Amino acid sequence: MIPENTVLCIVDFEATGVDLVRDIPIEVACICVDHNLRVLQSYDTLVRHPDLHRFTSSRDWIGRAKDSHEIHKIPSHKVGGEGESVHQVAVEITSVCDSVRPHKGRVVLTSDCVVFEWAFMHMLFTGTGRWPFHYCAWDTSLLFEMLGIDETEPSVTHRALGDAQQLLQHLRTAKKLIDNHEVIVIPL
C-alpha cells in the first residue's frame, strides 16, 4: 500500500477557526510512520503565534474563538500564550522529518483534510526554513470513503494528537482490508 522508501507524516492542526485566510494554527501534531504504519516518531505542541493580536483584535474574534473552543477545548489562556514559537515548531518538525527520512526516500504530509493541514503548515514554515515534506501530499479521505471507513466518529479529545492517532488507526484498518484482499483498490 505504501512504498518502502516513504514515511507518512500524519498531521493534524487545531486552529482559531477553519478560514485559511483569517485563522491561525494554535496546536499541531505529527506522527511519522513507516510503510508498515509503525510509529517512528511523533511531535505535538501548542503554537505561540506572533500575529495572534491581529486575530484577537478583530470584531468577530469572540464568536470565532467560542466556536473553535467548542471543538478543541483548548483553554483561551493557553491559546497563543503557551507552547513553542512558530519558528521553533518549524525547526522541530524539520528535525523529526529529517530523523525518519529513508535513504533516498521521502516524507509525505498525510491528512484527512490535506488542504487545511498543508496551508497551516505553510504558515508555520513561511520564512523559517526549508520545507521538510515531499512536494506531494496524501489526503486519505477518498481512500477511507471507498473502503467504507467511517471518519465521523468523534475523537475522545479532539486535540491535534488525538486526531492524528485516530487517523493512524483508520490507516491501519485500511491497510488490513487491503492486505487481506477484503477489498481491491484500483489506482485512479
Side-chain angles (χ1 to χ4, degrees):
M1 183 168 112
I2 302 162
E4 286 189 29
N5 71 337
T6 300
V7 167
L8 301 181
C9 185
I10 300 166
V11 175
D12 191 81
F13 280 98
E14 298 303 328
T16 56
V18 294
D19 186 316
L20 295 175
V21 174
R22 298 184 319 169
D23 291 306
I24 57 172
I26 56 175
E27 184 179 48
V28 61
C30 303
I31 302 174
C32 294
V33 297
D34 67 10
H35 65 282
N36 287 314
L37 302 178
R38 290 183 297 237
V39 175
L40 302 171
Q41 197 164 348
S42 65
Y43 171 76
D44 67 289
T45 187
L46 291 170
V47 180
R48 281 186 289 117
H49 203 286
D51 293 335
L52 187 64
H53 69 281
R54 181 171 61 113
F55 297 91
T56 58
S57 63
S58 67
R59 287 187 192 139
D60 66 342
W61 167 256
I62 302 293
R64 288 182 21 250
K66 184 179 180 226
D67 292 345
S68 68
H69 179 265
E70 289 299 315
I71 295 170
H72 56 61
K73 306 282 192 259
I74 299 172
S76 59
H77 70 277
K78 290 187 173 191
V79 174
E82 294 188 15
E84 310 254 358
S85 69
V86 169
H87 175 77
Q88 189 60 37
V89 171
V91 167
E92 294 295 331
I93 291 172
T94 300
S95 176
V96 166
C97 290
D98 287 349
S99 73
V100 299
R101 186 181 322 279
H103 179 67
K104 296 185 179 181
R106 59 191 175 180
V107 176
V108 176
L109 191 150
T110 304
S111 170
D112 57 359
C113 185
V114 81
V115 171
F116 186 78
E117 265 67 53
W118 189 273
F120 280 144
M121 195 64 79
H122 266 282
M123 282 184 195
L124 295 180
F125 276 85
T126 299
T128 62
R130 69 177 172 78
W131 184 250
F133 302 103
H134 191 261
Y135 61 85
C136 70
W138 184 24
D139 191 313
T140 60
S141 295
L142 186 57
L143 173 67
F144 295 160
E145 184 179 330
M146 289 176 3
L147 296 178
I149 297 172
D150 184 9
E151 292 184 87
T152 60
E153 61 189 86
S155 170
V156 175
T157 60
H158 200 60
R159 295 283 297 269
L161 183 58
D163 291 351
Q165 290 167 332
Q166 185 177 19
L167 181 63
L168 175 56
Q169 285 308 114
H170 291 321
L171 282 170
R172 287 177 173 156
T173 299
K175 184 177 184 329
K176 183 178 175 185
L177 289 170
I178 293 166
D179 288 350
N180 293 338
H181 304 289
E182 294 175 38
V183 296
I184 298 172
V185 176
I186 300 170
L188 300 175

